Amino acid sequence: MTDTYNKPGVMSNTPEEVEFELRAHIGSIWTGGRLFIGMYTFMIAALAFSYFYLRSSNNSMEWRPNHVTAPTAYGWAIYGCTAAMSLLAIFGQSRLRKGQVADWLVAGWTAVGIGLLALFLQLWEFVALPFYPGSSGYASTFIGFGVMNVITLFVTTYWLETSVARAHAMKREFGAGAVLAKTAEARSWRANVASMTYFQGFAVLVATMLLLMFYVL
Amino acid sequence: MTISAERPTDVVTTPPSINGAVRRGGWFSQHLGTALVAAIVGYLFGHWLGNHVAGNYPVVVNSGVNDVANFFGLLFGVIGWLLGIGALNYPLAKIAGRSGIEKTQDVEGFSKYFRYSTDHKTVGLQYVIGVCLFMFTGGLLAMAIRTELLNPTIHVFSPGTYIEIVSEHGTIMMMMATSIVLGPLGNYLVPLMIGSRRMAFPRIEAFSFWIFTAGYMVIFSALPYGGFPTGWTGYAPLQNQAGPGMISYLFGFAVIGLGMMTAGFNIAVTIVNYRAPGLTWSRVPMFVWSILATAALLTLATPVLFSAGLFGILDRVDQTAFYVAEHGGSSYLWENLFWFFGHPEVYIMALPAFGIVAEILPVFCRKPLFAQKVGAAGMIGVALLSFFVWQHHIFQSGINPDMRPLFMLTTELISIPTGFIFLVGMGTLYKAKIRYELPMLFSLALFFNFLIGGLTGVFLSDVPVNVTVHGGFFVLSHFHYTIMGGLLFAFMAGLYYWLPKMTGLMLNKKIGLWQFWLMFVFFNLTFFPMFIIGLLGQPRRVYTYAKNLQGLNDFSSISAFILGFSFLIFAWNLAYSWFIKPQKAPANPWDSLGLEWQTATPVPEHNFDRIPVIMTDPYHYSEPGAQALADLGGVGSSTGNPA
């Protein structure tokens, strides 16, 4: 048995260690972004499973009486906003990679505005539905989809807004070139933007699938 | 880029990641007290809002129950709790552009355990107390169940109260068990075992703990609402017909699910990215492998539970009909969604237990771990297969009979990777000179208990046997043997093994031996008779039974009381060893080769003075001339082989 206490020393901070930790941090943002997509996929898969399970069961012939459908105008408008937000985020990031920070900021703020509009439309759609929540299997799953879409839009818009706001804060704190610098702060931020954009791209794929399920089929 | 073994010597005293650190403290800062106050205020506001919104709805007026108000109360209560503890400070500040890599420096001293700490070691110890509180309250409910079952005709509780106690006990214990290892030991030890100075997302880690405690309170809030009668599985349509306590169950599951997802997410990302240089996957300790497999299950299976809970809440609050067949829904939908999470959850509980004993066995056998890679493969295999077995839970209730053989096969298949892990243990024990210290005793008990639980599980996976014993005490005994006999014994082994590192204090061995023998003997005397009781036909969740089963039930109940007493002995051991007669722990009391024992005790905030370079796996016991585990950076600091 070792019977001596180790004495804690001071933390070293060699350039190698700093670089190692920064790479681990950036790798975490990359891995976290992909794992988040995995979590989101399983959450949405539960909704999709419910939709097809109830649709194929058609219990009491109440899956979708009279083929009632949620307002398609709202559906397409919300989808359009979601797609526009994602495309703007992707466009912004491609411009950022070319060093066009102003383009990224304009695209980012525009996408945030569109995201908020989509959020508002999704909430407003709830008071414009032509059916009661429990009137059919379709109606129930639609409400579930609506709530999940509110959560999705909130998360994507929040992630986008915090990225854009941080870019402004960095410019304010460190100067105009801060966003594209090789500092730890800037590299971390760019990794975050990349993960956010990747998720936005995935979210629009999911939105397309859900649009087809709830408004087109 | 790699960190070479030849290290530069420049050293600074300020951690680089703490930029603009803000030290919080004092009575007016955020802590447990402010969280409680904010939770109460949030609950009252939410309840008022719900009454204001839905008080005049016909369904509310006709039933006299306002689920909207109950749900809003709990929702705003949880939000208040998070605001009060400070969990939302950073997410709100980020809206204004605050940096993502700034770190808030924690308050020093004992009060840090009552605050939103971002130090993984503090969070780990917070979890220790949190899960013990969970376990203690769930255990009290178990005592109430066994008290009622002392006599089939003289009753302590009414039938309704009894099923509420059973439901609350099951839910509390299952929720506690999902986090019992990953929370305390995973959070504390994983960074130390992989040579990291931090977690990948410390704020998410802290969030996972405080949302876990919120979930605990939400589930307990069912009792003042009149409880819920569904057992821990919450089956529809009873779920839709139950009283307002059902909201606490559904929302509690969703809240704790959020905690499980975030905890698993953070730990998985940490293991993937923060392993020290040289710590290749083949050198990763078995405990870390088990936690990685568990974290993967948590992050991928729990979102399904979250969705299922959301649909259940919508059924009650917004009058949707997900689980109501008359309106196009289906009660089987809940069963499928619930068990898609519920069966991986079984392995969420089992895998960390195997990880703990795989870590402990070589230390007390003084032998290398037998077939380490096979064990790791077994853990991955169990994790993957666990997604394909859930329908064996619904062999009796709605599954297409033609599908039964397929799920019988997948269920039996999972015994193969489980067997791998078991054989790793047996191979390590073979011809070993065992040191019978407390962690080893608890580990050996796990193999004995889990063998019984596992073998009965193989029988249960067969459809004919399943049809016969389904819903009875045989099943109940089976899963108590696997979860309590496996996980809880492993947790105790882990606590006796690692608490000296975590607290710097040894636990008393004599008191521990009393606890172990009482717990081991009376665990088996409590639950083994239940196999017989079940085969004789006693169903679960019923407050009475056939008169001829009273002898076995009384034997089981009395054993259960002594088993409960053994946990009080553990609580006494903690109090005695920490406060009454504290005994300072040596730096490495078990002569372990594990990396977590090679850093200073108590562990400094930055874990390692220098990022270690790993050179081999940590199981080369009794191998003269074996390579040192790691280069910790100082002169002569390579950890040797104590053989």
Side-chain angles (χ1 to χ4, degrees):
Chain A
M1 183 185 289
T2 316
D3 58 358
T4 53
Y5 251 50
N6 293 330
K7 289 198 172 83
V10 289
M11 179 174 146
S12 75
N13 189 25
T14 63
E16 283 179 316
E17 285 175 320
V18 170
E19 180 63 17
F20 175 81
E21 295 223 328
L22 182 60
R23 286 193 179 210
H25 170 70
I26 288 170
S28 298
I29 294 171
W30 191 95
T31 315
R34 272 64 182 175
L35 198 54
F36 185 63
I37 285 175
M39 290 163 71
Y40 180 65
T41 302
F42 272 76
M43 193 178 92
I44 294 297
L47 175 70
F49 177 82
S50 305
Y51 176 92
F52 289 108
Y53 190 90
L54 297 184
R55 185 185 168 115
S56 58
S57 304
N58 196 13
N59 282 328
S60 311
M61 307 298 281
E62 289 282 347
W63 159 248
R64 199 172 183 178
N66 305 317
H67 203 77
V68 65
T69 303
T72 48
Y74 277 99
W76 281 101
I78 295 163
Y79 175 74
C81 288
T82 309
M85 179 168 62
S86 300
L87 291 174
L88 275 170
I90 293 165
F91 167 76
Q93 200 213 4
S94 71
R95 299 296 292 166
L96 183 68
R97 280 180 176 162
K98 290 172 184 162
Q100 303 297 322
V101 180
D103 286 4
W104 146 254
L105 288 172
V106 172
W109 280 123
T110 312
V112 168
I114 292 173
L116 289 173
L117 176 65
L119 198 55
F120 170 77
L121 286 172
Q122 183 61 72
L123 289 169
W124 193 254
E125 189 185 25
F126 285 132
V127 298
L129 293 176
F131 47 74
Y132 292 108
S135 57
S136 65
Y138 169 83
S140 299
T141 49
F142 182 83
I143 297 291
F145 153 68
V147 172
M148 284 189 177
N149 208 26
V150 166
I151 296 171
T152 305
L153 287 168
F154 178 79
V155 169
T156 47
T157 309
Y158 173 83
W159 199 350
L160 190 52
E161 195 280 339
T162 52
S163 302
V164 184
R166 182 64 203 148
H168 275 291
M170 283 164 66
K171 282 178 74 176
R172 214 168 39 240
E173 290 168 25
F174 306 113
V179 171
L180 298 172
K182 289 185 177 176
T183 60
E185 185 81 35
R187 285 167 67 185
S188 165
W189 177 82
R190 289 198 296 270
N192 183 47
V193 169
S195 272
M196 183 271 296
T197 310
Y198 198 77
F199 182 76
Q200 293 271 4
F202 183 76
V204 79
L205 290 179
V206 172
T208 309
M209 182 192 80
L210 295 174
L211 176 86
L212 293 174
M213 280 165 54
F214 285 101
Y215 292 101
V216 178
L217 284 179
Chain B
M1 198 283 306
T2 55
I3 296 178
S4 63
E6 291 178 19
R7 296 162 180 278
T9 54
D10 60 316
V11 169
V12 297
T13 53
T14 310
S17 58
I18 302 177
N19 302 328
V22 182
R23 185 178 285 269
R24 297 170 293 155
W27 284 100
F28 297 103
S29 59
Q30 288 161 303
H31 47 68
L32 185 62
T34 53
L36 279 170
V37 170
I40 292 168
V41 171
Y43 176 83
L44 293 173
F45 169 74
H47 209 275
W48 168 83
L49 184 67
N51 274 322
H52 184 71
V53 169
N56 293 323
Y57 286 2
V59 66
V60 173
V61 173
N62 292 336
S63 67
V65 175
N66 188 346
D67 274 334
V68 178
N70 296 336
F71 171 64
F72 276 15
L74 295 173
L75 176 67
F76 282 92
V78 170
I79 293 171
W81 174 259
L82 295 174
L83 272 171
I85 198 66
L88 302 183
N89 292 358
Y90 176 72
L92 291 173
K94 263 189 98 170
I95 294 172
R98 186 172 159 185
S99 168
I101 60 172
E102 277 179 21
K103 183 176 183 294
T104 306
Q105 196 174 343
D106 290 329
V107 171
E108 299 294 329
F110 190 66
S111 76
K112 70 182 174 185
Y113 296 109
F114 301 95
R115 296 174 190 275
Y116 192 77
S117 170
T118 51
D119 182 349
H120 70 93
K121 298 176 287 295
T122 307
V123 176
L125 285 167
Q126 286 173 328
Y127 259 114
V128 170
I129 302 302
V131 297
C132 284
L133 192 66
F134 240 87
M135 193 164 61
F136 181 70
T137 44
L140 280 180
L141 293 165
M143 296 299 106
I145 292 168
R146 289 317 311 178
T147 304
E148 170 57 42
L149 293 179
L150 277 168
N151 195 300
T153 50
I154 302 169
H155 299 296
V156 182
F157 305 111
S158 68
T161 307
Y162 177 74
I163 188 64
E164 285 159 14
I165 291 170
V166 170
S167 303
E168 195 75 45
H169 162 75
T171 310
I172 288 283
M173 286 303 204
M174 293 304 272
M175 291 297 94
M176 176 275 296
T178 51
S179 301
I180 192 170
V181 173
L182 188 125
L185 302 178
N187 279 306
Y188 194 101
L189 294 166
V190 162
L192 298 179
M193 292 176 118
I194 63 172
S196 171
R197 287 169 166 170
R198 51 169 290 172
M199 280 287 189
F201 301 110
R203 293 185 192 89
I204 289 180
E205 180 194 29
F207 177 86
S208 76
F209 171 72
W210 289 102
I211 196 84
F212 170 79
T213 52
Y216 168 76
M217 288 186 282
V218 170
I219 287 173
F220 250 88
S221 72
L223 288 179
Y225 279 134
F228 51 94
T230 56
W232 86 278
T233 50
Y235 274 10
L238 191 52
Q239 180 190 110
N240 302 83
Q241 299 156 359
M246 205 68 220
I247 283 285
S248 301
Y249 167 88
L250 291 164
F251 187 55
F253 250 129
V255 169
I256 287 206
L258 203 56
M260 287 153 59
M261 280 188 271
T262 47
F265 174 84
N266 172 54
I267 288 194
V269 173
T270 303
I271 294 170
V272 171
N273 290 286
Y274 276 88
R275 280 172 294 122
L279 187 56
T280 56
W281 287 111
S282 61
R283 293 172 180 171
V284 166
M286 287 296 282
F287 179 70
V288 177
W289 268 114
S290 74
I291 291 293
L292 180 63
T294 306
L297 290 178
L298 280 170
T299 42
L300 299 181
T302 316
V304 177
L305 174 77
F306 182 82
S307 297
L310 174 68
F311 301 156
I313 291 168
L314 286 173
D315 270 9
R316 296 191 62 97
V317 172
D318 201 32
Q319 303 298 307
T320 56
F322 278 95
Y323 308 131
V324 184
E326 294 81 4
H327 297 285
S330 173
S331 55
Y332 299 129
L333 175 62
W334 167 266
E335 294 187 25
N336 277 291
L337 293 176
F338 180 83
W339 285 116
F340 187 83
F341 153 79
H343 201 83
E345 191 200 14
V346 173
Y347 297 102
I348 286 168
M349 293 182 274
L351 287 172
F354 287 126
I356 290 173
V357 295
E359 212 59 48
I360 288 173
L361 287 184
V363 178
F364 294 95
C365 291
R366 309 314 290 172
K367 275 181 69 184
L369 187 69
F370 177 73
Q372 181 193 356
K373 288 175 187 169
V374 174
M379 286 177 179
I380 300 298
V382 167
L384 287 175
L385 272 175
S386 71
F387 282 109
F388 300 98
V389 299
W390 85 97
Q391 291 231 349
H392 70 225
H393 290 277
I394 49 179
F395 275 158
Q396 321 290 315
S397 50
I399 184 177
N400 181 340
D402 292 340
M403 294 290 284
R404 285 169 169 179
L406 173 65
F407 283 94
M408 188 171 94
L409 179 69
T410 55
T411 307
E412 289 180 349
L413 272 179
I414 213 166
S415 62
I416 295 173
T418 312
F420 285 3
I421 305 168
F422 221 87
L423 287 173
V424 166
M426 295 301 105
T428 310
L429 288 170
Y430 182 65
K431 287 187 175 177
K433 292 172 186 165
I434 300 171
R435 291 189 299 174
Y436 292 98
E437 296 287 344
L438 277 163
M440 189 62 181
L441 288 173
F442 277 104
S443 299
L444 292 173
L446 172 137
F447 284 110
F448 179 85
N449 297 335
F450 201 88
L451 184 65
I452 296 172
L455 286 178
T456 51
V458 175
F459 283 100
L460 278 170
S461 67
D462 285 338
V463 176
V465 178
N466 193 293
V467 168
T468 310
V469 298
H470 177 83
F473 264 62
F474 189 91
V475 178
L476 184 147
S477 187
H478 155 71
F479 69 71
H480 277 84
Y481 258 96
T482 52
I483 297 169
M484 189 173 180
L487 178 66
L488 219 52
F489 276 79
F491 178 59
M492 284 297 160
L495 286 185
Y496 276 103
Y497 182 67
W498 278 302
L499 272 181
K501 184 71 190 178
M502 295 163 78
T503 62
L505 297 169
M506 292 298 286
L507 290 173
N508 186 284
K509 185 177 177 181
K510 200 172 175 183
I511 301 173
L513 282 170
W514 271 101
Q515 184 214 345
F516 168 74
W517 284 111
L518 283 177
M519 191 173 155
F520 177 62
V521 171
F522 286 96
F523 165 77
N524 280 284
L525 293 182
T526 300
F527 290 103
F528 200 83
M530 290 187 195
F531 284 123
I532 304 165
I533 293 170
L535 288 174
L536 291 172
Q538 185 171 329
R540 293 162 67 187
R541 300 174 182 168
V542 180
Y543 82 132
T544 189
Y545 51 85
K547 185 74 180 167
N548 65 325
L549 297 177
Q550 187 177 357
L552 281 167
N553 269 293
D554 285 356
F555 184 81
S556 189
S557 288
I558 291 164
S559 302
F561 298 144
I562 303 173
L563 175 62
F565 178 69
S566 73
F567 284 92
L568 290 181
I569 295 179
F570 176 67
W572 167 247
N573 199 355
L574 291 183
Y576 182 84
S577 305
W578 288 356
F579 304 113
I580 297 171
K581 200 174 178 184
Q583 185 196 341
K584 209 170 183 181
N588 190 353
W590 319 113
D591 280 338
S592 168
L593 288 180
L595 187 59
E596 75 275 21
W597 295 98
Q598 315 306 332
T599 185
T601 303
V603 183
E605 189 187 351
H606 50 269
N607 293 353
F608 297 94
D609 294 343
R610 296 169 182 235
I611 295 174
V613 177
I614 311 298
M615 294 185 283
T616 183
D617 67 66
Y619 303 119
H620 291 281
Y621 292 95
S622 304
E623 288 184 7
Q627 193 173 18
L629 169 69
D631 171 16
L632 294 176
V635 177
S637 66
S638 293
T639 57
N641 191 331

